Amino acid sequence: MSVVRRPARESVWIALAPGVVAVLGLAVNLGSFVAAAAGLAVVGFGTDRASRTLVTVGSGLIFAGVLAAGARGAPPAVLLLVTAATVVTWTTAEHVVGLAEHLGRDAPVQRSVLVHLGGATLTTLVAGGIALGVFLLSTGTLTAGTLVFLLVGSALLLYALEP
């Protein structure tokens, strides 16, 4: 009996759920929405095919939609939500791919995927809430220092969530 090194469809759908939130949140303008929708499609295809490269590229496209929305003046709370949803989609899809590589399609992994999804959601929302609080307590303008703080914080969060 051989093991199929691809995830079960249910796990793929669970991983994509927060990405749907990101895409809907990025409907603030057409460019952001299109980039995010294309990215979510790539993440879905990559997760189904157990391709970490496609998961990362698709997540990058969703994040490009976040950047475009931010450049066009989307509210900080919306940016927080869609950024958190993007990070949770990426890390959960990576987790699903890792489980598929190690355990195969027939392993009962839905509980693991749901726990990972919940933990990643909580972590990103707390980190994002802190970042939003720092932003709101500042002058309300995005200075170079605030931008560097947010970028370094985002990079550290991604490093901490790396599977």
Side-chain angles (χ1 to χ4, degrees):
M1 178 176 163
S2 66
V3 176
V4 177
R5 302 289 178 197
R6 289 177 48 191
R9 297 248 188 250
E10 298 84 21
S11 297
V12 174
W13 288 114
I14 293 169
L16 295 179
V20 172
V21 172
V23 170
L24 293 175
L26 290 170
V28 294
N29 66 61
L30 184 60
S32 298
F33 177 77
V34 169
L40 186 60
V42 173
V43 170
F45 183 76
T47 305
D48 185 57
R49 299 290 184 236
S51 169
R52 291 181 188 276
T53 302
L54 289 176
V55 166
T56 301
V57 167
S59 298
L61 285 171
I62 299 172
F63 190 65
V66 174
L67 293 176
R72 294 198 172 140
V78 170
L79 294 174
L80 164 68
L81 178 66
V82 297
T83 300
T86 302
V87 170
V88 172
T89 297
W90 170 73
T91 187
T92 306
E94 286 280 335
H95 182 66
V96 167
V97 169
L99 289 171
E101 289 172 348
H102 293 287
L103 302 174
R105 177 172 277 195
D106 296 327
V109 298
Q110 280 72 22
R111 180 177 289 171
S112 173
V113 175
L114 288 169
V115 167
H116 182 90
L117 175 72
T121 300
L122 181 64
T123 302
T124 56
L125 287 177
V126 167
I130 291 169
L132 182 63
V134 168
F135 174 77
L136 294 175
L137 289 175
S138 70
T139 62
T141 59
L142 193 59
T143 63
T146 308
L147 181 60
V148 168
F149 172 78
L150 291 174
L151 290 174
V152 169
S154 298
L156 290 174
L157 178 63
L158 288 175
Y159 176 75
L161 291 174
E162 179 104 13

